[in-house]
């Protein structure tokens, strides 16, 4: 059944789904189709079978996620602010002071957002604190501060420009005495993929503080900044750590300083072209100065997750094993002590959305008497090998457990704790969520007490 709506022809199906049939819908379909084709090129460049279960719908999922994550290009700040300015008086005429709609500082704190880094196309998370000083006896609906910030967050960005754009748009839309914006931005790191492991000092995220001010906040030493930061102090914001406007190091994004792995020195030109076409489909100009190297950097990132054999990836580390087991003095029986390695860092790429997830791996195992415990270096190499490919967390947990089991016998338990950027950079936007998976083999699958002992040994702050 069809009828004419305000924006064009509308189709209503029996299942209740309403589809728009106007030019806007056709354009969205064109963009989605174009991105899907480019993603297929990227997957084939990684040596993946685009018809494999789990991968087959990845191009569509990626296209939808990117379109949703960059929808700020078609949003209007003016439409958000108009109609959301409300009359509010200041202090009474016979009193001296600033309050209400004339001079009273308003701050909305702890707004969580994500954006896409313009240097590498990976999502980054930021916490926003935004405030303004009303004038002309009018105030803005508080939710609009968040909505305006989100317009600029949903674009390819870098932190300082993001803060400047939010500040400028609010000042223009509200016409206040001044606007202040502080962003705490966190970027996923680029590990050194030339080695077989992530270093033990792997931090998980890289963070910076940036700010922007207009009107009475334009001078960073203005008295009102003291009020602003006074209301942020108990949130751990140190104003001395804020990077001055215009002095942001170009290496905010680790892709600009990460080493080039030997296998990535010659990148597939078809993949680079495909990434450039994605940027263009989303409304960006791939020739813009800040984006000129982005297709190559994103391709470089993806190439870290090519399929490799475990023997090649571990560079002969399994040479210390004989017939699938570590060398032993051939003593029969089991050591009742649980051997463990905790907090082994790892990083991987979700095969469903081509977005990274990272965290730590905990491994516990029993060994036969006389067997040597597995070196931490080898365990970290195994974790690294299964991370550097397109993955899902449930599978990587099982694969690590099965590989370790082949070395020392079947009594193995593995726990993986990870943060997924697909959980924050898509519709669900669950900031701070963490996923844990477990694989228990042999004795650990039947012995509750053994599992409890191991699980209790995992630090609470991982």
């Amino acid at each position: 059944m069809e009828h004419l709506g305000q924006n064009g022809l509308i189709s209503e199906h029996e299942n209740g789904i309403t589809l728009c049939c106007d030019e806007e819908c056709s354009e969205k379909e064109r963009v989605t189709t174009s991105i899907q084709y480019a993603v297929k090129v990227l997957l084939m460049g990684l040596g993946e079978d685009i018809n494999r279960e789990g991968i087959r719908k990845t191009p569509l999922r990626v296209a939808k996620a990117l379109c949703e994550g960059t929808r700020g290009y078609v949003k209007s700040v003016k439409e958000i602010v108009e109609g959301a300015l409300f009359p509010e008086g200041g202090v009474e005429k016979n009193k001296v002071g600033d309050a209400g709609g004339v001079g009273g500082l308003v701050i909305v704190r702890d707004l969580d957002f994500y954006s896409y880094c313009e240097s590498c196309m990976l999502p980054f998370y930021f916490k926003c604190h935004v405030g303004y000083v009303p004038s002309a006896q009018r105030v803005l609906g508080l939710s609009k501060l968040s909505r305006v910030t989100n317009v600029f967050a949903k674009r390819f960005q870098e932190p300082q420009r993001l803060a400047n754009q939010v500040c400028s748009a609010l000042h223009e839309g509200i016409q206040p005495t001044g606007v202040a914006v502080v962003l705490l931005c966190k970027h996923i790191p680029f590990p050194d993929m030339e080695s077989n492991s992530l270093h033990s000092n792997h931090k998980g995220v890289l963070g910076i503080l940036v700010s922007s001010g207009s009107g009475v906040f334009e001078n960073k030493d203005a008295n009102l900044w003291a009020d602003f930061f006074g209301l942020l102090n108990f949130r751990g914001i140190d104003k001395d750590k804020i990077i001055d406007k215009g002095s942001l190091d170009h290496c905010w994004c680790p892709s600009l300083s990460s080493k080039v792995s030997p296998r990535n020195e010659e990148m597939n030109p078809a993949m680079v072209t495909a990434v450039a076409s994605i940027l263009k489909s989303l409304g960006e100009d791939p020739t813009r100065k800040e984006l000129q190297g982005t297709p190559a950097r994103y391709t470089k990132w993806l190439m870290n997750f090519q399929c490799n054999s475990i023997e090649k990836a571990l560079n002969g580390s399994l040479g210390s094993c004989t017939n699938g087991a570590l060398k032993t003095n051939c003593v029969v029986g089991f050591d009742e002590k649980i051997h463990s390695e905790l907090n082994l860092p790892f990083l991987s790429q979700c095969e469903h959305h081509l977005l990274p997830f990272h965290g730590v791996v905990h491994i516990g195992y029993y060994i036969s008497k006389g067997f040597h415990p597995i070196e931490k270096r080898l365990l970290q190499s195994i974790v690294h090998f299964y991370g550097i490919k397109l993955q899902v967390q449930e599978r990587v947990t099982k694969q690590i457990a099965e590989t370790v089991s082949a070395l020392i016998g079947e009594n193995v338990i593995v726990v993986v704790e990870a943060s997924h950027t697909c959980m924050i950079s898509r519709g669900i936007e669950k900031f701070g969520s963490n996923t844990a998976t477990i694989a228990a083999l042999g004795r650990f699958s039947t012995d509750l007490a053994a599992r409890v002992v191991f699980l209790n040994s995992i630090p609470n702050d991982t």
Side-chain angles (χ1 to χ4, degrees), residues 328-334 368-371:
T328 176
N329 296 327
C330 299
V331 178
V332 178
F334 286 92
S368 300
K369 290 182 178 179
F371 277 66

Side-chain angles (χ1 to χ4, degrees), residues 119 267 271-272 275-276 291-303:
S119 295
M267 286 176 287
M271 296 178 68
V272 176
V275 177
L291 290 175
Q292 287 177 3
T294 299
R297 285 188 289 267
Y298 183 65
T299 300
K300 172 186 170 184
W301 165 264
L302 286 181
M303 292 299 286

Side-chain angles (χ1 to χ4, degrees), residues 47 69 92 151 164 180 240 261 305 307 311 318 372 392 399 420 427:
E92 296 179 9
V151 167
N164 293 345
D240 294 329
S261 177
F305 300 93
C307 297
E311 291 80 6
L318 295 179
H372 301 305
V392 294
Q399 289 172 330
H420 292 248

Side-chain angles (χ1 to χ4, degrees), residues 68-69 71-72 80 108-117 122-131 142-155 157 162-163 166 170 181-187 252 420-421 423-432:
E68 181 180 340
R71 63 184 183 273
I80 294 174
V108 176
R109 302 172 294 199
D110 300 324
L111 297 171
D112 292 318
F113 297 96
Y114 80 92
S115 185
Y116 278 95
C117 174
L122 295 180
F124 70 89
Y125 156 84
F126 69 94
K127 187 177 288 290
C128 175
H129 310 285
V130 57
L142 296 178
S143 67
K144 303 306 183 286
L145 293 171
S146 175
R147 290 184 61 191
V148 170
T149 302
N150 202 38
V151 167
F152 297 99
K154 296 301 185 287
R155 302 180 182 186
Q157 285 286 10
L162 173 57
V166 172
L170 285 172
V181 178
V182 172
L183 307 180
L184 172 59
C185 304
K186 296 184 178 182
H187 198 302
W252 135 257
H420 292 248
T421 52
M423 291 288 284
I424 67 168
S425 62
R426 295 169 54 247
I428 190 170
E429 297 189 17
K430 290 296 183 182
F431 296 93

Side-chain angles (χ1 to χ4, degrees), residues 73-127:
Y73 288 111
V74 296
K75 296 294 183 179
S76 168
V77 172
K78 183 178 180 180
E79 292 179 0
I80 294 174
V81 174
E82 281 186 347
L85 289 169
F86 304 99
E88 184 62 40
V91 296
E92 296 179 9
K93 292 182 179 180
N94 61 343
K95 295 182 179 180
V96 178
D98 300 313
V102 181
L105 178 60
V106 179
I107 301 178
V108 176
R109 302 172 294 199
D110 300 324
L111 297 171
D112 292 318
F113 297 96
Y114 80 92
S115 185
Y116 278 95
C117 174
E118 68 179 8
S119 295
C120 66
M121 291 181 63
L122 295 180
F124 70 89
Y125 156 84
F126 69 94
K127 187 177 288 290

Side-chain angles (χ1 to χ4, degrees), residues 334-342 362-375 379 404 408 411-414 444 453-454 457:
F334 286 92
D335 185 348
E336 288 300 314
K337 175 186 176 182
I338 297 177
H339 297 266
S340 63
E341 285 292 349
L342 307 177
H362 314 290
I363 302 174
Y365 57 94
Y366 287 105
I367 58 174
S368 300
K369 290 182 178 179
F371 277 66
H372 301 305
I374 305 175
E375 292 183 6
L379 290 175
V404 174
I408 48 81
N411 304 307
V412 176
I413 186 169
V414 172
F444 285 103
V453 169
F454 176 74
S457 71

Side-chain angles (χ1 to χ4, degrees), residues 7 11 14 19-20 36 50-51 65 88 100 152 174 198 233 237 254 259 287 304 316-317 321 361 381 401 428 460:
N7 298 318
S11 296
E14 293 180 358
L19 300 175
C20 179
Q36 286 186 76
I50 60 174
N51 294 313
E88 184 62 40
F152 297 99
I174 307 173
L198 301 178
N233 277 344
I237 301 296
K259 297 179 181 179
T287 64
N304 288 314
S317 297
C321 307
V361 177
S381 294
I428 190 170
N460 292 327

